[in-house]
């Protein structure tokens, strides 16, 4: 019979926030409501986490915990992390979803009965503000460039609509996606600015990405035609920024993202 190990880290963080267990639970519920991911956090649940009798939070609680503490779930003292993984370049022009190889998530994967990597599923609600980043090669300039947009993502079941936030780029980006487990597939359209190098040209194509189990990053490839009707492709990733989609939040992201390699199209 094993004895539960108290989560003194989570308790210290809660106390550092000057919250009682009941106040902490209310903050978790409020964070879930703001993110469009309601949860049933209670004082009793917080007590079980801190006592170590519940070793790890479910994903909906993990995201709320990250929201109110400002820390990644791996830093909150849980003995067993929620399923983790990372989308990485496979070195052959593609991407792989790999299980965690360090930390508590790796210990779970290596434990008896965990011989296979966790199978990612639809991780709640992807709605929020994300940073879109893709790379493309300009044959006329002989150079690779990066396109950055802050985008707002709205989820309807397994469908995601992605629209660039005005002011975050001099081009307008629209992406429509379907989520199937960890696979995200869809189409994209970009309307370049009239005063840009591409003089108002409209480009479109397809995109397929892998979503990490945390629900905070997707990465993969885009494909589309160039000005001379040549088929092009390159990496594309979406990185989570903020769960809110209200007017005040969108106004904060109506600015150019910072990236040393970014060149407006």
């Amino acid at each position: 019979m094993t004895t539960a190990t108290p989560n003194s880290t989570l308790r210290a963080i809660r106390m550092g926030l000057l919250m009682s267990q009941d106040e902490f639970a209310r903050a978790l519920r409020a964070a879930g409501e703001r993110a469009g991911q309601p949860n049933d956090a209670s004082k009793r649940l917080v007590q079980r986490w801190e006592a170590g009798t519940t070793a790890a939070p479910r994903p909906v609680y993990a995201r709320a915990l990250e929201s109110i503490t400002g820390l990644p779930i791996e830093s909150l003292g849980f003995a067993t992390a929620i399923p983790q993984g990372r989308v990485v370049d496979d070195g052959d022009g593609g991407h792989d979803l790999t299980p965690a190889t360090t930390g508590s998530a790796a210990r779970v994967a290596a434990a008896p009965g965990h011989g296979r990597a966790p199978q990612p599923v639809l991780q709640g609600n992807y709605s929020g503000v994300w940073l879109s980043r893709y790379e493309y090669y300009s044959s006329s300039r002989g150079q690779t460039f990066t396109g950055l947009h802050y985008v707002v993502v709205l989820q309807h079941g397994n469908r995601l609509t992605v629209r660039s936030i005005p002011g975050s780029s001099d081009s307008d980006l629209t992406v429509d996606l379907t989520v199937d487990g960890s696979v995200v597939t869809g189409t994209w359209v970009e309307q370049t600015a009239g005063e840009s190098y591409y003089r108002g040209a409209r480009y479109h194509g397809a995109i397929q990405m892998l979503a990490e189990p945390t629900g905070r990053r997707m990465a993969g490839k885009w494909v589309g035609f160039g000005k001379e009707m040549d088929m092009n492709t390159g990496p594309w990733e979406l990185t989570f920024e903020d769960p809110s989609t209200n007017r005040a939040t969108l106004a904060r992201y109506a600015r150019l993202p910072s990236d040393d390699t970014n060149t407006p199209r």
Side-chain angles (χ1 to χ4, degrees):
M1 180 176 180
T2 59
T3 302
T5 301
N7 187 342
S8 56
T9 299
L10 182 64
R11 182 173 183 272
I13 291 171
R14 173 182 59 78
M15 295 180 68
L17 293 172
L18 303 180
M19 289 184 181
S20 67
Q21 291 176 330
D22 192 50
E23 290 170 334
F24 196 66
R26 286 201 300 269
L28 287 168
R29 294 196 299 271
E33 291 292 337
R34 289 195 301 272
Q37 302 173 340
N39 64 67
D40 298 317
S42 64
K43 177 181 178 180
R44 179 58 184 151
L45 177 60
V46 175
Q47 290 174 335
R48 291 200 300 270
W49 287 339
E50 293 186 355
T53 54
T54 297
R58 291 190 284 115
V60 67
Y61 293 117
R63 287 188 286 275
L65 282 163
E66 290 182 330
S67 176
I68 66 174
T69 64
L71 297 169
I73 195 66
E74 300 86 12
S75 300
L76 298 183
F78 291 102
T80 307
I82 60 173
Q84 299 291 315
R86 181 75 176 169
V87 177
V88 297
D89 191 322
D90 65 6
D92 294 315
H95 289 75
D96 292 334
L97 182 59
T98 63
T101 55
T102 60
S104 55
R107 292 193 292 274
V108 172
H114 293 82
R116 292 179 298 174
Q119 294 302 305
V121 296
L122 183 64
Q123 298 289 343
N125 196 333
Y126 286 98
S127 295
V129 175
W130 295 64
L131 175 63
S132 168
R133 184 182 191 278
Y134 63 84
E135 294 180 4
Y136 64 99
Y137 179 75
S138 173
S139 56
S140 58
R141 290 177 284 181
Q143 188 175 349
T144 297
F145 294 89
T146 300
L148 295 177
H149 299 76
Y150 284 123
V151 298
V152 58
V153 177
L154 299 178
Q155 180 169 349
H156 310 278
N158 69 335
R159 303 296 298 274
L160 306 180
T161 59
V162 183
R163 304 292 183 266
S164 59
I165 297 175
S168 68
S169 177
D170 67 349
S171 65
D172 295 324
L173 179 66
T174 299
V175 186
D176 292 298
L177 301 169
T178 300
V179 181
D180 182 6
S182 62
V183 180
V184 184
T185 306
T187 59
W188 61 270
V189 177
E190 184 171 8
Q191 179 69 53
T192 63
E195 64 276 13
S196 70
Y197 178 84
Y198 292 97
R199 299 185 179 279
R202 180 178 181 271
Y203 295 93
H204 59 90
I207 181 173
Q208 191 162 60
M209 298 182 288
L210 292 174
E212 294 181 353
T214 59
R216 291 177 175 263
R217 180 173 175 266
M218 310 175 196
K221 297 284 187 180
W222 63 268
V223 62
F225 287 97
K227 289 196 303 182
E228 300 176 356
M229 296 305 290
D230 51 329
M231 184 71 77
N232 298 313
T233 188
W236 196 330
E237 71 175 15
L238 293 171
T239 306
F240 180 82
E241 293 282 334
D242 196 302
S244 175
T245 59
N246 64 34
R247 184 176 300 178
T249 300
L250 300 187
R252 290 202 306 272
Y253 286 93
R255 54 182 171 81
L256 295 176
S258 59
D259 187 307
D260 293 339
T261 62
N262 183 40
T263 299
R265 294 186 67 164

